[in-house]
């Protein structure tokens, strides 16, 4: 059994900062890519940022220069530092991990429960 638990969401004024954390636990063999997605009301879930096992990163264009994704592989944890937040960053942020459980030979995607980020203008 694998769990991804997010923390760090909340309410912040435009221009403020938040730091999200997501820790993966359970029977984990190897984690490939970890990432953050978000979903605004009435919108599709979109990829915000992801980081590969060797540190390669990818960002949504609208967050480049403001958000930074990082990971601590020893702790199976991924972080998202969000600076200069804008009202359009509001949404539920979900952690995602592409991982292989112990004893398995296949990778599967796992999701956290989501954490709300609200940016007021």
């Amino acid at each position: 059994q694998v769990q991804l638990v997010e923390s760090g969401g909340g309410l912040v004024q435009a221009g403020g900062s938040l730091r999200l954390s997501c820790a993966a636990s359970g029977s984990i063999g190897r984690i490939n890519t970890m990432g953050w997605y978000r979903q605004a009301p009435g919108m599709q879930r979109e990829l915000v940022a992801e980081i590969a096992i060797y540190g390669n990163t990818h960002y949504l264009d609208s967050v480049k220069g403001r958000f930074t994704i990082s990971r601590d592989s020893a702790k199976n944890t991924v972080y998202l530092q969000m600076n200069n937040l804008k009202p359009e960053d509001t949404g539920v942020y979900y952690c995602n991990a592409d991982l292989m459980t112990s004893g398995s030979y296949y990778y599967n995607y796992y999701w956290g429960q989501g954490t709300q980020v609200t940016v007021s203008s």
Side-chain angles (χ1 to χ4, degrees):
Q1 195 79 348
V2 172
Q3 276 192 315
L4 272 62
V5 179
E6 300 115 332
S7 61
L11 173 64
V12 65
Q13 287 189 328
S17 298
L18 285 173
R19 187 186 192 221
L20 306 182
S21 299
C22 171
S25 62
S27 184
I28 297 171
R30 181 182 171 96
I31 301 179
N32 187 11
T33 301
M34 301 186 80
W36 291 94
Y37 287 70
R38 70 185 179 194
Q39 187 166 21
M43 304 293 285
Q44 287 190 331
R45 192 174 296 189
E46 62 181 353
L47 174 64
V48 176
E50 63 181 358
I51 182 166
I53 188 170
Y54 297 115
N56 306 65
T57 58
H58 171 78
Y59 294 94
L60 181 67
D61 282 347
S62 62
V63 308
K64 286 180 181 177
R66 301 188 296 122
F67 290 12
T68 302
I69 190 170
S70 60
R71 68 190 282 177
D72 183 336
S73 295
K75 296 180 179 180
N76 292 331
T77 300
V78 64
Y79 307 95
L80 185 67
Q81 178 66 44
M82 305 185 292
N83 298 327
N84 191 22
L85 282 158
K86 302 177 180 181
E88 51 264 41
D89 294 319
T90 294
V92 179
Y93 282 68
Y94 297 92
C95 173
N96 171 271
D98 179 26
L99 66 85
M100 182 187 298
T101 56
S102 297
S104 173
Y105 297 96
Y106 303 100
Y107 284 93
N108 284 294
Y109 287 103
Y110 291 82
W111 293 91
Q113 80 286 355
T115 185
Q116 178 70 43
V117 171
T118 303
V119 184
S120 62
S121 56

